Amino acid sequence: MSSKESCRNELRTAIRQLSDRCLYSASKWAAEQLVGIEQDPAKFTPSNTRFQRGSSSIRRRFRTNEINSTPPTGVAYVSTPVMEEDEAIHGDFYLLAKSYFDCREYRRVAHVLRDQTGKKSVFLRCYALYLAGEKRKEEETIELEGPLGKSDAVNRELVSVERELSTLSKNNMIDPFGLYLYGLVLKEKGNENLARKVLVESVNSYPWNWSAWSELQSLCTAVDILNSLNLSNHWMKEFFLASVYQELRMHNEALSKYENLQGTFTFSNYIQAQIGKTQYSLREFDQVEVIFEDLLRNDPYRVEDMDTYSNVLYTKEYFSALSYLAHRVIMTDKYRPESCCIIGNYYSLKGLHEKSVMYFRRALKLNKKYLSAWTLMGHEYVEMKNTPAAVDAYRRAVDINPRDYRAWYGLGQAYEMIGMPHYALHYFQKSVFFQPIDSRLWIAMAQCYESEQLHMLEEAIKCYKRAANCNDTEAIALHRLAELHRELGQPEEAAFYYKKDLERMEAEEREGPNTVEALTFLATHYKTQKRFEEAEVYCTRLLDYTGPERETAKSLLRGMRIAQSGFPSMDVEHFHP
Amino acid sequence: MREEEIEKLRGVIRDCVSKHLYSSAIFFADKVAAITKDPADIYMQAQALFLGRHFRRAFHLLNASQIVLRDLRFRYLAAKCLEELKEWDQCLLMLGDEKLDEHGNAYDIKDNSAMYLDKDGEDREINISSAIYFLRGKAYEALENRAKARQWYKAAIKADPLCYEALECLIENHMLTCEEETSLFSSLQFGPEDGWLSSFYSCLIKKNYKENVVEAKFKELGKESSKTNLSSQSFMRALKDNTDLLACKAEYYHQSGEYQKCFELTSGLLEKDPFHLKCIVVHLAAAMELGQSNELYLMASSLVKDHPQKALSWFAVGCYYYCIKKYDQSRRYFSKATSLDGTFAPAWIGFGNAYAVREEGDQAMSVYRTAARLFPGCHLPTLYIGMEYMRTHSFRLAEQFIMQAKAICPADPLVYNELGVVAYHKKEYNQAVWWFDKTLALIPNPLTEMWEPTVVNLAHAYRKLKMFHEAISFYEKALTLSTKSLSTYAGLAYTYHLQDNFSDAITYYHKALWLKPADPFCSEMLNVALADECRQGIDPKLDLR
């Protein structure tokens, strides 16, 4: 990795260039990373670093292994790019255009720059046109909204923007920013292969545009695709890889990348938030909580990624903390999709599902592609027993991101509720494909196979086995496995699983009807197997319970004694070698 | 009066004519003619009368003077008067009875050694016989004898390539098929200094050439400039951006479906010359394809205000209504346009389309038939008749008509697509693939959304041939052009289903149903696929993990 100072210089230049081109998010991101780099304490007064120092002690708490400050990575970029600037005469037009852009008057931007041929002007013109089209699309969507905001509105500028950019790129007259926009347009038009190619070209020639990386990340839907990308080495690539790994659910790889990056960008809130999100996917809720609390202390008005925090609070049912967070984001910025999600979660936890749906809907009004809001809204609809609406919401979620296993699972559940096991099964399979370590999914799938319409017990058993191998917290799998085997007339296997289930219940010090059932079966089973000693052990344990089983146990014991005394010859034979 | 005074008076008359003071011109011409009795002065008087719109009087004057039958110019002017009076039979009679041989060369039965008084000769003059042929053509056209009209127009342009009007009539009224156009063009004899005109004409008479041909022609025009000397170089450069030429380019863009490009070009042109008729037609058509109803409304209103008697104006109104999907109104206005000017081809086609879109096949067919009769050089009516037959599943008839359209214009990709569709419906899938391939070969790259159906058709045909890999690759290609097509998703899903790839099949059935939730084929096939997948058991891919 290149030195901190060179990173800093690169970022400083990049921020100027990005904001000059009105790529606001990318420049914000770059600035955050710039401040995230650990300052040289010798050079700065404490007041400069106070903001960063904040709570580094807490940060370190969860760092699994201390990282050497500069882990080796491939060849780094050294050269700071010198972007060619348009001539001064055109500069005046550019200044006017940029001011219009800042006031969000996109069409005027395009008009002012209509005859400009400099790369910078061409980019801003096309970008403004694209945004004008997007804006109009949003408006149209609201005007002609179908159920759940489904509409056929399209960005009408896409075609002309694409045509212009493709001609430019054919003639090699396009700069990395133009390429980024071209990639964006291609992606929107569904031409993903070309979009990937163009974006790779863009980030290879100008790696500091995080927006380009994010678009590229959203197009990397499988490891094979990632591996096929021909990316030059640069420290920005590490950020990208981490983000892709995170999205591809390769959580450990992602974590190690982020921790590496923290070597240089020690105080980057972005990295910390990403680590939090990854830990959330790993279901390490305690850690996530600490991370986000810390983050909020440093950056109290942060709204980004805070919905993950609220999810944790929701799962852990921390009413007061969630309420506090909700009130806080309302004061910061009420009309952000993240804020709405947090409030939605809050109402959901309070059992006010209608209100909660309202807020998720608002989140989606603000950002139609806000994945988690769709999924969470689906959950709320399920709670409200409004299956069709739930199905629709989940559909939208998987439409946006087909790797969202929660939405697939929700779809499966919804279809199971309306008695369509074939559909449900398909969706469970999907969800299990993306999250094979979650026992709930396997169990849901197994139950589907068990349903009357399908009745494929063999397959159900396979699923339960998988569930049992995962961490089955609710301990359904073992029990059902045993029962199924018993139903299929396979007493050996049934006994095996009953025994395992029993062991587990003992370990967790749990008792209930399942215990009785297991004991009864085992007792009977060993008796028919003529393994009386084991049978007796189970029978005696059964005697501790009340109810009809106790009588059964008694009669079993009696039977065994008669058998042992009545048929000694069996024992004799038994002692024969 | 003395000779020089008369000469001065003649000058006054010429000046009056050029200042459009026709009454004065008539007054003085009458006096001069009375004094001199010179045929040339009589001609001048007749000319002044003609320009002053006293046609009957001019004709009478010419007829009264004995020279009329001997001098071609007199005869021509007399015929022009009759034309204005709409006495077509008389007009033809006046022009004499030349005939055309099978090569289109004119000959006179009785050679009457026409006298030709060259009075105010310009340096270059349009051959008078060319003008006569052209007028004869117009008379025949007015008499609805289109075959003869066409012959005489051709004769006119052959007699003198500078007679642009004849060429314009032939092209704008779609009188010639593609082949005839080229053969006519090659038979034209240009003067040595008219090289530029030759290339200019060759740009005008294109009918769906491939892009490179047209581009090459435009380049040729550019090159022409570099060959010749400096002064003509700038002249050629100016010509390169000539509106006529660029309007042709726009028309070409329109034909190859690049509506956006076309629209931008015509918008620019109309800024320069807002009343260029040909350009307006192309502009309207492009705006309609792009759904620019606002633009259409403005154009239509201003056209109707400025030229209420022109077919074009009402055609524009029809286009506007067609664009906002009010087909009944649009039909009414297209019909109005055709009744104002029966030779305005776009209105006829719009008229037919407005019927066809409402699935009123019979009416549409009758309109198309009329159009096909009126415009033998336009392949669209014939093609549309074929499409209408296809809709009623009369594939043999459809094929016949489409083949006919292909004969008229062998370069339009749309024709080949339709042939492919016919072959597909006749279950001749190999043939269909062949036609679709040919279609795609004729389309300039990169493909635009307009040609997405062809790609899908090709994929369907491959699927029917059980060439699933090819089918899938073409379906995917279609998806890069448009992601809003039900049939692409359904086809792709079904192909995967046929390959026993249930998981992908289900995904794509879902996508299809997302576009149209009530589609019976997809929802039924989805159920089948889900059951199939279930029967297959757990995906072995999952167990590998």
Side-chain angles (χ1 to χ4, degrees):
Chain A
M1 199 167 294
S2 38
S3 79
K4 286 175 187 169
E5 196 51 46
S6 77
C7 281
R8 237 178 259 140
N9 285 333
E10 284 173 28
L11 279 171
R12 279 185 199 123
T13 326
I15 290 163
R16 261 196 304 280
Q17 284 162 344
L18 288 167
S19 60
D20 203 25
R21 282 170 180 77
C22 304
L23 291 164
Y24 301 126
S25 322
S27 101
K28 175 176 102 179
W29 189 90
E32 273 180 356
Q33 307 321 312
L34 174 64
V35 178
I37 301 176
E38 193 170 26
Q39 304 285 3
D40 191 353
K43 279 196 205 154
F44 291 91
T45 55
S47 66
N48 271 340
T49 47
R50 185 186 53 200
F51 167 66
Q52 293 190 332
R53 287 270 165 104
S55 51
S56 48
S57 59
I58 298 177
R59 278 161 207 254
R60 298 253 151 72
R61 245 174 62 191
F62 285 110
R63 201 161 305 155
T64 40
N65 48 337
E66 278 298 316
I67 299 122
N68 316 340
S69 55
T70 50
T73 11
V75 193
Y77 257 55
V78 214
S79 59
T80 331
V82 184
M83 300 300 299
E84 76 179 272
E85 303 290 337
D86 301 339
E87 305 111 79
I89 320 155
H90 299 151
D92 296 344
F93 284 113
Y94 192 86
L95 282 179
L96 175 62
K98 188 171 180 311
S99 314
Y100 281 146
F101 198 107
D102 291 338
C103 298
R104 316 176 106 233
E105 299 189 75
Y106 301 124
R107 293 214 180 262
R108 291 181 89 180
V109 179
H111 185 74
V112 167
L113 296 175
R114 66 195 177 281
D115 296 324
Q116 308 287 321
T117 47
K119 286 176 182 170
K120 199 165 141 191
S121 307
V122 169
F123 165 75
L124 195 67
R125 173 157 51 81
C126 292
Y127 188 41
L129 267 182
Y130 170 77
L131 286 180
E134 283 295 296
K135 196 169 146 215
R136 185 63 209 138
K137 185 176 96 179
E138 294 294 319
E139 287 159 6
E140 260 170 41
T141 314
I142 291 167
E143 282 159 19
L144 336 148
E145 203 164 46
L148 281 168
K150 186 182 170 188
S151 88
D152 302 328
V154 285
N155 186 338
R156 290 174 194 283
E157 300 298 331
L158 279 188
V159 181
S160 60
V161 173
E162 188 203 357
R163 218 188 52 224
E164 175 157 13
L165 290 172
S166 75
T167 329
L168 285 176
S169 90
K170 231 178 261 156
N171 300 336
N172 241 335
M173 306 245 301
I174 196 165
D175 64 351
F177 301 102
L179 284 171
Y180 156 64
L181 185 60
Y182 188 29
L184 198 66
V185 171
L186 285 171
K187 183 188 154 200
E188 204 117 320
K189 290 204 74 187
N191 193 349
E192 299 196 345
N193 288 325
L194 190 55
R196 264 192 292 271
K197 205 182 125 241
V198 169
L199 285 169
V200 166
E201 216 176 303
S202 167
V203 295
N204 275 347
S205 47
Y206 189 86
W208 300 277
N209 182 1
W210 180 245
S211 302
W213 287 108
S214 325
E215 289 303 327
L216 188 56
Q217 180 255 304
S218 71
L219 288 170
C220 289
T221 43
V223 187
D224 309 341
I225 296 174
L226 176 64
N227 291 336
S228 68
L229 297 182
N230 184 14
L231 293 167
S232 346
N233 273 324
H234 186 267
W235 51 265
M236 282 292 285
K237 186 183 166 189
E238 303 298 304
F239 276 105
F240 166 71
L241 286 179
S243 152
V244 176
Y245 288 149
Q246 192 182 347
E247 196 56 36
L248 292 177
R249 316 195 65 78
M250 297 157 69
H251 302 306
N252 293 323
E253 289 88 339
L255 272 183
S256 76
K257 279 269 176 231
Y258 281 129
E259 279 165 6
N260 256 337
L261 280 166
Q262 268 190 334
T264 312
F265 302 90
T266 321
F267 300 104
S268 163
N269 289 335
Y270 167 80
I271 296 179
Q272 205 185 352
Q274 296 312 309
I275 291 178
K277 280 165 91 171
T278 316
Q279 296 284 17
Y280 175 72
S281 309
L282 287 168
R283 308 181 74 79
E284 303 284 353
F285 297 138
D286 296 328
Q287 289 201 22
V288 186
E289 204 193 333
V290 176
I291 289 173
F292 276 107
E293 269 172 16
D294 185 26
L295 200 56
L296 267 185
R297 223 182 341 268
N298 283 321
D299 190 2
Y301 299 105
R302 186 187 179 92
V303 184
E304 259 166 87
D305 306 321
M306 279 304 145
D307 50 328
T308 310
Y309 181 38
S310 82
N311 287 346
V312 173
L313 296 178
Y314 179 88
T315 325
K316 299 182 91 177
E317 302 189 3
Y318 285 174
F319 278 95
S320 51
L322 186 54
S323 155
Y324 176 71
L325 180 66
H327 281 96
R328 190 159 164 167
V329 290
I330 285 182
M331 298 317 286
T332 313
D333 190 350
K334 191 177 169 187
Y335 294 102
R336 283 271 297 257
E338 290 94 341
S339 316
C340 296
C341 257
I342 293 169
I343 301 165
N345 266 339
Y346 168 68
Y347 278 123
S348 173
L349 190 58
K350 284 181 78 172
L352 300 170
H353 298 298
E354 254 124 76
K355 273 197 162 180
S356 148
V357 163
M358 194 183 92
Y359 275 94
F360 289 130
R361 266 179 180 285
R362 183 180 287 174
L364 291 167
K365 269 251 155 69
L366 295 166
N367 178 3
K368 239 173 38 167
K369 300 214 158 167
Y370 197 54
L371 177 69
S372 56
W374 282 115
T375 315
L376 292 172
M377 190 157 90
H379 293 339
E380 293 309 311
Y381 277 128
V382 169
E383 292 287 339
M384 290 159 70
K385 303 271 182 294
N386 184 350
T387 329
V391 165
D392 237 4
Y394 287 131
R395 275 269 151 74
R396 296 295 297 254
V398 295
D399 211 38
I400 294 162
N401 184 352
R403 292 180 307 287
D404 183 24
Y405 77 95
R406 284 184 205 84
W408 284 119
Y409 176 64
L411 267 177
Q413 268 184 319
Y415 273 104
E416 207 175 17
M417 265 160 68
I418 49 178
M420 295 169 80
H422 278 123
Y423 281 75
L425 189 70
H426 175 74
Y427 298 126
F428 286 137
Q429 281 204 3
K430 282 267 181 195
S431 78
V432 131
F433 183 77
F434 293 113
Q435 178 73 330
I437 54 163
D438 195 330
S439 61
R440 286 173 307 168
L441 310 182
W442 285 108
I443 289 170
M445 200 161 141
Q447 280 166 348
C448 239
Y449 275 121
E450 273 186 84
S451 72
E452 264 175 51
Q453 277 147 292
L454 298 182
H455 206 76
M456 295 168 70
L457 298 184
E458 295 291 333
E459 300 295 330
I461 286 174
K462 276 188 208 162
C463 294
Y464 279 127
K465 274 186 190 157
R466 293 296 305 256
N469 287 342
C470 307
N471 187 19
D472 178 16
T473 42
E474 283 157 71
I476 301 169
L478 287 174
H479 181 70
R480 282 301 302 159
L481 269 174
E483 276 181 335
L484 278 175
H485 279 299
R486 195 184 63 190
E487 276 168 37
L488 288 172
Q490 297 162 333
E492 283 300 327
E493 287 86 348
F496 173 77
Y497 286 111
Y498 270 127
K499 227 156 128 183
K500 273 194 119 172
D501 194 24
L502 207 57
E503 278 162 20
R504 183 163 164 165
M505 283 188 279
E506 278 162 15
E508 289 170 13
E509 296 180 354
R510 231 160 11 101
E511 277 186 357
N514 287 354
T515 332
V516 181
E517 193 191 316
L519 287 172
T520 323
F521 178 84
L522 285 169
T524 333
H525 175 68
Y526 283 121
K527 191 194 155 206
T528 42
Q529 293 262 309
K530 305 265 183 301
R531 289 157 72 176
F532 295 120
E533 262 173 57
E534 277 139 313
E536 238 184 273
V537 175
Y538 291 117
C539 284
T540 358
R541 278 182 66 184
L542 258 183
L543 290 176
D544 295 342
Y545 295 91
T546 52
E549 285 81 9
R550 189 167 158 176
E551 300 308 315
T552 326
K554 275 182 187 164
S555 68
L556 276 173
L557 277 171
R558 249 198 310 279
M560 276 189 287
R561 269 180 215 126
I562 295 163
Q564 276 170 320
S565 53
F567 302 99
S569 56
M570 296 278 278
D571 284 317
V572 177
E573 273 176 27
H574 198 77
F575 288 120
H576 260 277
Chain B
M1 257 190 274
R2 272 182 311 168
E3 188 58 33
E4 59 257 37
E5 281 170 56
I6 291 171
E7 193 50 50
K8 210 176 268 172
L9 259 185
R10 285 191 186 120
V12 170
I13 296 165
R14 274 196 291 274
D15 188 55
C16 286
V17 167
S18 74
K19 290 205 166 73
H20 302 281
L21 300 165
Y22 297 127
S23 292
S24 321
I26 293 167
F27 177 80
F28 291 115
D30 178 37
K31 304 304 165 282
V32 172
I35 294 165
T36 62
K37 302 232 169 12
D38 186 341
D41 288 325
I42 295 174
Y43 182 77
M44 189 179 260
Q45 189 190 356
Q47 188 85 314
L49 284 169
F50 180 82
L51 290 170
R53 304 187 65 77
H54 299 284
F55 305 119
R56 186 79 60 195
R57 204 171 147 200
F59 177 63
H60 180 77
L61 177 73
L62 290 167
N63 228 2
S65 72
Q66 287 309 304
I67 207 156
V68 64
L69 286 172
R70 285 198 284 130
D71 188 320
L72 275 177
R73 270 198 312 169
F74 274 64
R75 245 201 282 172
Y76 177 64
L77 188 55
K80 272 306 258 191
C81 292
L82 289 169
E83 182 206 2
E84 293 290 343
L85 294 167
K86 306 231 184 308
E87 292 179 10
W88 301 109
D89 289 315
Q90 289 293 317
C91 176
L92 282 174
L93 221 61
M94 178 57 70
L95 290 171
D97 37 19
E98 277 172 295
K99 293 273 183 304
L100 288 170
D101 61 16
E102 59 268 34
H103 302 295
N105 297 319
Y107 63 95
D108 210 330
I109 304 167
K110 32 185 197 324
D111 191 42
N112 56 353
S113 63
M115 195 169 82
Y116 186 45
L117 298 170
D118 192 286
K119 198 66 192 176
D120 37 31
E122 300 282 330
D123 289 346
R124 299 240 359 222
E125 208 173 357
I126 300 262
N127 190 340
I128 184 78
S129 50
S130 166
I132 288 175
Y133 297 159
F134 174 65
L135 186 54
R136 209 175 261 145
K138 270 185 104 171
Y140 275 121
E141 193 174 355
L143 291 170
E144 306 221 333
N145 189 343
R146 285 167 186 282
K148 277 213 163 144
R150 191 172 61 181
Q151 279 172 354
W152 283 110
Y153 285 141
K154 273 161 84 173
I157 183 92
K158 266 189 194 166
D160 190 340
L162 297 186
C163 184
Y164 169 71
E165 281 179 272
L167 185 72
E168 189 187 26
C169 278
L170 285 171
I171 293 176
E172 296 302 307
N173 294 341
H174 302 281
M175 288 187 154
L176 301 179
T177 64
C178 205
E179 214 176 309
E180 286 167 331
E181 269 184 5
T182 30
S183 75
L184 173 65
F185 176 70
S186 60
S187 73
L188 294 184
Q189 282 159 357
F190 291 96
E193 70 276 18
D194 292 336
W196 67 274
L197 189 65
S198 158
S199 9
F200 205 103
Y201 278 1
S202 73
C203 291
L204 295 184
I205 59 154
K206 40 96 219 146
K207 220 175 223 152
N208 293 340
Y209 281 125
K210 276 197 204 168
E211 175 161 47
N212 43 26
V213 179
V214 176
E215 291 290 317
K217 290 218 168 113
F218 285 121
K219 279 226 184 78
E220 205 176 295
L221 257 184
K223 232 185 272 163
E224 197 82 33
S225 61
S226 55
K227 269 194 288 187
T228 44
N229 57 25
L230 227 91
S231 66
S232 78
Q233 209 163 347
S234 61
F235 160 72
M236 286 311 298
R237 208 169 300 132
L239 265 190
K240 239 187 122 193
D241 295 329
N242 183 276
T243 315
D244 278 334
L245 198 61
L246 290 179
C248 282
K249 197 169 181 175
E251 210 176 9
Y252 165 71
Y253 282 143
H254 181 261
Q255 275 166 342
S256 50
E258 304 203 42
Y259 301 120
Q260 188 69 35
K261 258 186 184 170
C262 174
F263 184 76
E264 278 164 25
L265 184 59
T266 50
S267 310
L269 288 179
L270 288 177
E271 248 169 56
K272 271 202 295 187
D273 181 0
F275 302 106
H276 192 280
L277 292 183
K278 187 172 171 190
C279 194
I280 292 176
V281 176
V282 183
H283 186 72
L284 290 172
M288 201 170 82
E289 297 290 345
L290 294 170
Q292 303 256 25
S293 56
N294 210 18
E295 175 79 19
L296 282 173
Y297 181 78
L298 184 68
M299 287 219 60
S301 330
S302 65
L303 277 171
V304 167
K305 205 179 84 213
D306 293 343
H307 313 278
Q309 284 309 313
K310 278 222 182 281
L312 174 68
S313 314
W314 299 102
F315 170 71
V317 178
C319 281
Y320 168 69
Y321 279 114
Y322 194 94
C323 184
I324 59 168
K325 299 198 168 61
K326 292 200 169 162
Y327 299 113
D328 288 338
Q329 275 106 319
S330 97
R331 195 165 62 211
R332 199 172 316 138
Y333 287 106
F334 282 137
S335 138
K336 179 165 183 169
T338 57
S339 64
L340 279 174
D341 179 2
T343 60
F344 189 61
W348 282 104
I349 292 173
F351 193 18
N353 285 353
Y355 273 122
V357 79
R358 299 292 294 267
E359 309 220 337
E360 294 176 50
D362 292 342
Q363 280 100 323
M365 289 275 238
S366 81
V367 174
Y368 289 141
R369 276 209 197 89
T370 316
R373 190 165 48 77
L374 290 177
F375 313 106
C378 183
H379 69 292
L380 288 176
T382 331
L383 181 62
Y384 289 151
I385 292 174
M387 287 182 182
E388 284 302 314
Y389 275 125
M390 197 135 60
R391 186 147 71 197
T392 53
H393 296 273
S394 329
F395 298 119
R396 268 169 45 87
L397 277 170
E399 193 173 12
Q400 241 169 40
F401 274 95
I402 298 169
M403 285 307 251
Q404 213 172 311
K406 176 173 163 267
I408 298 170
C409 179
D412 187 357
L414 190 61
V415 176
Y416 295 97
N417 180 55
E418 295 309 310
L419 281 172
V421 174
V422 171
Y424 183 89
H425 280 302
K426 288 166 79 182
K427 300 197 166 48
E428 296 164 4
Y429 302 117
N430 275 313
Q431 186 65 24
V433 166
W434 193 79
W435 285 122
F436 290 135
D437 273 334
K438 205 161 159 66
T439 314
L440 292 179
L442 281 170
I443 301 167
N445 270 322
L447 291 182
T448 52
E449 195 173 336
M450 187 197 165
W451 297 106
E452 183 250 9
T454 306
V455 181
V456 178
N457 289 343
L458 183 55
H460 283 326
Y462 273 126
R463 191 195 71 217
K464 287 281 187 187
L465 289 171
K466 300 203 166 45
M467 294 160 76
F468 297 128
H469 288 292
E470 286 83 353
I472 288 171
S473 87
F474 275 101
Y475 281 127
E476 274 166 359
K477 196 167 173 187
L479 284 181
T480 63
L481 297 176
S482 161
T483 49
K484 301 252 175 260
S485 158
L486 174 78
S487 107
T488 316
Y489 284 120
L492 192 51
Y494 189 49
T495 313
Y496 279 126
H497 200 164
L498 289 172
Q499 283 187 313
D500 285 349
N501 181 348
F502 303 123
S503 166
D504 283 335
I506 292 166
T507 312
Y508 282 103
Y509 282 130
H510 270 321
K511 289 197 174 166
L513 288 170
W514 175 249
L515 290 175
K516 189 179 168 206
D519 187 65
F521 172 80
C522 287
S523 43
E524 197 183 322
M525 288 312 292
L526 175 59
N527 283 330
V528 176
L530 283 165
D532 285 344
E533 188 194 36
C534 171
R535 214 172 306 127
Q536 197 184 30
I538 300 176
D539 195 341
K541 263 187 287 178
L542 285 176
D543 283 334
L544 287 177
R545 283 195 161 214

